[in-house]
């Protein structure tokens, strides 16, 4: 069973939207709820695509200097450039990683898609090596799908 309960977070997002929450509040809620899952979820970042750049619009956890990431750069930019979610079991093993801190060991990027369009991404950092199973990925996709509907 996955650590993250994507269906519960998706339903909280839908409820918040019904109660009038706007884009910023929904992105912040998603970041907060994902981080609240606890280990292996250390920090959650919501990067949204503005032209050829990913812009950090909400996060929960450790601060990052990477508030603007060009498409193609780092793990985040690679996800957009390739159109593929990224699951990096050990960030020390890859060359195109943009480090936020020295504790992070692994990273998961799940794209937020609406039809053929990429709206942005959920980016998760973990201090644990290789924690993101297919089940964790699937739970994060449920959150991404809810955001794509509601934003
Ligand atoms: N590590 C990411 C940058 C974003 S921070 O992890 C929040 C990357 O390589 O794209």
């Amino acid at each position: 069973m996955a650590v993250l309960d994507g269906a519960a977070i998706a339903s909280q997002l839908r409820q918040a939207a019904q109660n009038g929450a706007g884009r910023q509040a929904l992105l912040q809620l998603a970041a907060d709820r994902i981080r609240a899952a606890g280990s292996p979820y250390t920090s959650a970042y919501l990067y949204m695509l503005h032209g050829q750049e990913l812009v950090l619009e909400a996060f929960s956890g450790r601060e990052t200097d990477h508030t603007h990431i060009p498409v193609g750069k780092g793990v985040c930019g690679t996800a957009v450039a390739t159109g593929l979610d990224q699951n990096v079991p050990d960030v020390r093993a890859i060359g195109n990683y943009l480090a936020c801190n020295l504790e992070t060991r692994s990273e998961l990027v799940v794209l937020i898609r609406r039809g053929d369009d990429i709206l942005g991404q959920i980016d998760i950092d973990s201090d644990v090596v290789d924690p993101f199973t297919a089940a964790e990925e699937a739970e994060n996709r449920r959150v991404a799908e809810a955001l794509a509907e509601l934003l």
Side-chain angles (χ1 to χ4, degrees):
M1 214 178 97
V3 171
L4 195 75
D5 186 344
I9 298 175
S11 113
Q12 285 171 336
L13 287 167
R14 290 196 180 97
Q15 190 70 52
Q18 268 180 10
N19 293 336
R23 175 185 177 97
Q24 178 62 40
L26 292 172
L27 292 172
Q28 189 62 53
L29 180 61
D32 289 341
R33 298 311 304 160
I34 291 170
R35 185 193 177 205
S39 181
Y41 292 82
T42 302
S43 303
Y45 305 88
L46 275 292
Y47 285 100
M48 302 307 288
L49 193 57
H50 295 258
Q52 287 299 300
E53 194 171 59
L54 286 161
V55 178
L56 183 63
E57 294 196 23
F59 77 97
S60 182
R62 295 192 187 114
E63 288 196 13
T64 177
D65 288 340
H66 302 292
T67 57
H68 293 71
I69 301 175
V71 170
K73 295 277 181 209
V75 178
C76 295
T78 297
V80 177
T82 59
L84 298 171
D85 293 345
Q86 305 286 307
N87 188 342
V88 180
D90 191 335
V91 297
R92 294 168 294 187
I94 60 165
N96 65 343
Y97 173 64
L98 300 173
C100 292
N101 59 74
L102 297 175
E103 286 80 29
T104 299
R105 289 290 172 267
S106 56
E107 181 160 359
L108 176 67
V109 174
V110 172
L111 292 166
I112 301 169
R113 303 166 185 275
R114 186 184 291 146
D116 288 341
D117 292 338
I118 293 173
L119 304 186
Q121 61 186 221
I122 300 170
D123 171 35
I124 294 150
D125 278 4
S126 174
D127 292 355
V128 178
V129 171
D130 198 11
F132 297 117
T133 60
E136 297 299 342
E137 288 184 22
E139 295 302 314
N140 278 284
R141 278 195 198 105
R142 298 175 87 144
V143 180
E145 281 161 15
L147 287 171
E149 262 172 45
L150 300 170
L151 291 180

